[in-house]
Amino acid sequence: MKLNESEWIAMQAVWDCAPASARDVFERVQAQTNWAYTTVRTVLARLVEKGALREKKQGRASLYEPRLTRDAARRAAVRSLLDKAFDGTFGALVHHMVASEKLDKKERAKLARMFADSERKERKA
């Protein structure tokens, strides 16, 4: 499920404090976004409609819980980035990161360990 920038902000707030009321989300994002309370309610309603959030009525208030996990949202975002900017291949992204970004020795070692672990897992499967 693809999230736009506003939806990411609201989802981060819900992931961090679920179950969350619209007021909870508003208080968490207001300083960062300067959104009105009605904007928060609109974004939350859109996320419910998309299936990213579950809404539970509690009296007159609603509580929101994530149906979409943070990990699943990240996977979808990375997949979208790969498809748009890197011809759909992870290798092209990694090559870009290594060639264009300043990776210190520790980061390069961690990346090498991750690849080695992945290869070991593939051999076992």
Side-chain angles (χ1 to χ4, degrees), residues 19-101:
S21 67
R23 177 72 48 203
D24 295 332
V25 174
F26 174 73
E27 289 172 0
R28 284 184 168 268
V29 305
Q30 208 281 325
Q32 172 189 0
T33 63
N34 208 23
W35 290 346
Y37 178 75
T38 54
T39 303
V40 171
R41 301 258 322 164
T42 299
V43 173
L44 292 171
R46 191 176 26 197
L47 287 164
V48 168
E49 189 176 301
K50 281 178 114 171
L53 292 177
R54 178 182 305 113
E55 180 181 16
K56 290 183 180 178
K57 292 288 184 184
Q58 191 172 62
R60 290 179 19 168
S62 292
L63 291 179
Y64 298 91
E65 294 180 337
R67 294 182 71 200
L68 176 67
T69 66
R70 193 183 310 243
D71 195 49
R74 286 176 176 161
R75 279 193 306 273
V78 169
R79 173 51 48 204
S80 178
L81 175 66
L82 288 174
D83 291 343
K84 285 180 187 175
F86 297 99
D87 300 322
T89 66
F90 182 72
L93 170 64
V94 171
H95 176 76
H96 171 77
M97 295 301 294
V98 170
S100 302
E101 300 298 321

